[in-house]
Amino acid sequence: MIKIKSEKEVQLMRRAGKIAAAARSLAGKMVTEGVTTHSINKRVHDFIISQGAVPTFLGYSGYPASICISVNEEVIHGIPSSRKLQSGDIVSIDIGATKDGYIGDCAATFTVGDVSPLTQKLVEVTEQCFYEGLKFAKAGYRVSDISRAIQSYAEENSFSVVRKYVGHGVGSKLHEDPEVPNFVEKPRRRADPRLVPGMTLAIEPMVNIGDAAVKVLGDGWTVVTADLARSAHYENTILITCGEPEILTATEEAS
């Protein structure tokens, strides 16, 4: 069942969203050559706690870290470790912050040093896929309108969108109805609700250079492309309003 948020709930989600967005900015600044993914996780964990919030992902279904850090062919759910980032890497960082019972969920992909033109294009197209979908995140449209815009833009740029994992509603729970695919299902298996004011969604394109197929590694979490081609991820939590959508995890600087 889709939860329509009250104005009080929206205010709480704005607070959580600001913390998550600031944590994402902080993490992005740390993405440099020689830095370990564990150190990024630790710094972001401490920042979220300092804001009176808690890392949403820590312990979620047994997940062992506070944020997800996925490098190169890793799509999502990468576990922070002693791995040192190298020039040419791309690093997808997914962050959730829970404040007063409500969640902000966001992600972005960052580059390390010099990357190839194709890799740079992947990162830029993935972010723009979100904004293409956002054009249809308005009352009266359907979820599939967002999905179609994301898929079309990715494929127009000769990339593929991941089909096994999708965006979702978000609020007092990390994953709420409805699911928000980054592609149009044929035949449709998911519900395709009409968007109404008060809905809060995590729209999150996951885009691959190669094929759309993915697999889960032996750690039970890390999702990689089946062909080991690079992948990028971009996400914001948004609010459906009576007019233009509001990005609840718009860029914020850590303080």
Side-chain angles (χ1 to χ4, degrees), residues 51 61-62 106 134 138 141 152 204 219 229 231 237:
Q51 300 301 300
S61 296
C106 61
L134 190 67
K138 300 177 184 179
Y141 286 103
S152 296
E204 52 177 321
D219 61 20
S231 182
T237 299

Side-chain angles (χ1 to χ4, degrees), residues 16-43:
K18 286 183 178 181
I19 295 168
R24 176 177 58 186
S25 294
L26 174 63
K29 291 176 181 176
M30 291 188 68
V31 174
T32 54
E33 189 173 359
V35 169
T36 68
T37 57
H38 171 76
S39 66
I40 298 173
N41 176 78
K42 177 65 166 60
R43 181 69 182 89

